[in-house]
Amino acid sequence: MTSTDDDRRFPVALAAALAQPFEYDDGDGVDFEPFDAFVSAGETTDWFRSWTGNKEVSGDVFRVFGMDGTGGYAAFWLVRPGRELADQPVVFLGSEGETGVVARDLSDFLWILADGVGPLEAIDAYDTGIDSRPNAELTAVAERFAPERRQPAATLIGLAREEFGGFEEEISRLCR
């Protein structure tokens, strides 16, 4: 793996996006609470062991950066060896066992957020579809850091699910 193993600083583009407010609007918005920094390696491992019920796993393949209102985590999944953190997929692991790939990488994640879709809403969209609610501030962030990647959230989520369709099964195999 690259230097992402030890580096717990947010990429500049992620920090810019997470500095924007996320409005839940009584259930009609984005249910996302970003953290100020990545969760520590030890805390991530403790959480992942508890979440899976498997004391033999570690959380080393995740960089947790936010959560939804129920305590589900949004994270980078370090599955692309030798690639930078911003090139890793974004995933969601819910408090009730929901799992899903949100975005293929940080650039796609910026545009998903810009379309008014958070990590939980992205995996919920697998079954319910996407309600686009463009956010001007997050669109400005996405245009600044990933102008060439602009696409609707539904398209980007579909591409992520296509590329990383085995994520749910892989996580399920780790659960006890």
Side-chain angles (χ1 to χ4, degrees), residues 78-115:
L78 307 181
V79 68
R80 292 177 166 154
R83 305 273 298 271
E84 295 299 319
L85 184 64
D87 295 328
Q88 304 293 340
V90 174
V91 298
F92 183 79
L93 297 115
S95 63
E96 301 299 318
E98 324 84 317
T99 59
V101 178
V102 175
R104 295 175 299 172
D105 56 25
L106 178 55
S107 293
D108 283 3
F109 185 61
L110 295 176
W111 283 108
I112 290 169
L113 292 175
D115 209 10

Side-chain angles (χ1 to χ4, degrees), residues 123-162:
I123 69 161
D124 281 350
Y126 286 9
D127 299 320
T128 62
I130 295 281
D131 289 330
S132 178
R133 293 183 207 100
N135 177 298
E137 293 83 9
L138 289 165
T139 297
V141 172
E143 286 173 341
R144 177 177 170 205
F145 291 101
E148 74 289 349
R149 299 287 286 279
R150 181 180 209 138
Q151 292 188 65
T155 300
L156 296 170
I157 293 164
L159 291 170
R161 188 163 190 197
E162 182 179 306

Side-chain angles (χ1 to χ4, degrees), residues 44 52 66 95 117 127:
T44 301
T52 61
S95 63
V117 178
D127 299 320

Side-chain angles (χ1 to χ4, degrees), residues 61-75:
V61 297
F62 298 108
R63 294 295 178 273
V64 177
F65 60 85
M67 65 185 217
D68 74 336
T70 67
Y73 281 157

